Amino acid sequence: MNKPKKKSLPGGGSIAQNKKARHDYSIVDKYEAGLALQGWEVKSMRAGKIQLVDSYVIFQNSEAYLIGAHITPLKTASTHVIAEPARARKLLMHRKQLDEIERGTNQSGYTAVCLGIYWKGNKIKADVALVKGKQQHDKRAAEKEKDWGREKQRVLKAYNR
């Protein structure tokens, strides 16, 4: 008897990425966090209606909150609820991890941002990173290194033929 195949998520379980954060910051540490969400938010995330462009993490009362993530409500999913697309969402992490990130953000030049949101089983998880801001010359150097890596791959590919 054939077992039904499980549905695979498009993009390998990734819901949204914050590419601007990877460009503007150098990553010091990465952590995985759960998100406290409402039902309409989960349905909107399934449809890919989330933006992380200007999102960041703040700490209040020793708890972490994701600020600036915009989840566009679906018209069919949020008919009976007043949807607030840009509300603060609580991040669910172990106390030790929260303390590490909070200590890091108290240092000068460091902040915490969300790098991406993805599925892990039936749960939605967020990649939270402790980051340090890049200066303009650092961004240019990273871009040159990226271009050189691409060029090197092209040369090796042509050489191996």
Side-chain angles (χ1 to χ4, degrees), residues 25-161:
Y25 302 104
S26 57
I27 299 167
V28 177
D29 267 336
K30 283 173 68 172
Y31 301 91
E32 182 180 76
L35 284 166
L37 299 170
Q38 296 176 352
W40 68 268
E41 293 173 325
V42 175
K43 289 181 180 182
S44 292
M45 283 188 185
R46 280 190 199 281
K49 305 271 184 188
I50 181 168
Q51 295 175 350
L52 295 174
V53 177
D54 293 326
S55 63
Y56 58 95
V57 177
I58 63 166
F59 292 91
Q60 291 178 343
N61 302 328
S62 297
E63 293 179 340
Y65 292 92
L66 180 63
I67 305 293
H70 190 275
I71 300 175
T72 307
L74 295 174
K75 300 221 183 294
T76 57
S78 58
T79 55
H80 63 286
V81 191
I82 298 171
E84 194 177 338
R87 74 178 182 89
R89 292 165 182 89
K90 187 175 179 182
L91 294 172
L92 308 172
M93 301 172 77
H94 292 286
R95 170 65 39 210
K96 186 177 178 182
Q97 292 175 331
L98 284 170
D99 292 340
E100 285 177 20
I101 297 173
E102 192 169 12
R103 264 195 312 273
T105 56
N106 290 336
Q107 296 176 17
S108 178
Y110 289 88
T111 188
V113 296
C114 180
L115 297 177
I117 293 183
Y118 57 93
W119 291 100
K120 187 172 184 181
N122 62 348
K123 307 274 191 281
I124 294 177
K125 300 289 183 173
D127 265 339
V128 177
L130 181 64
V131 295
K132 184 171 175 77
K134 284 184 186 176
Q135 294 181 346
Q136 192 64 36
H137 61 85
D138 293 333
K139 292 178 190 177
R140 280 192 223 109
E143 191 66 32
K144 281 183 183 178
E145 192 173 310
K146 194 172 164 183
D147 289 343
W148 168 239
R150 277 193 222 120
E151 188 62 32
K152 193 167 39 172
Q153 288 298 321
R154 282 189 204 115
V155 169
L156 286 174
K157 190 175 181 181
Y159 180 74
N160 289 334
R161 284 187 183 180

Side-chain angles (χ1 to χ4, degrees), residues 4-29:
K5 289 186 177 180
K6 292 184 180 179
K7 288 184 181 178
S8 63
L9 296 168
S14 177
I15 298 171
Q17 296 292 321
N18 190 351
K19 293 180 182 179
K20 185 179 177 189
R22 293 183 188 273
H23 179 262
D24 291 343
Y25 302 104
S26 57
I27 299 167
V28 177
D29 267 336

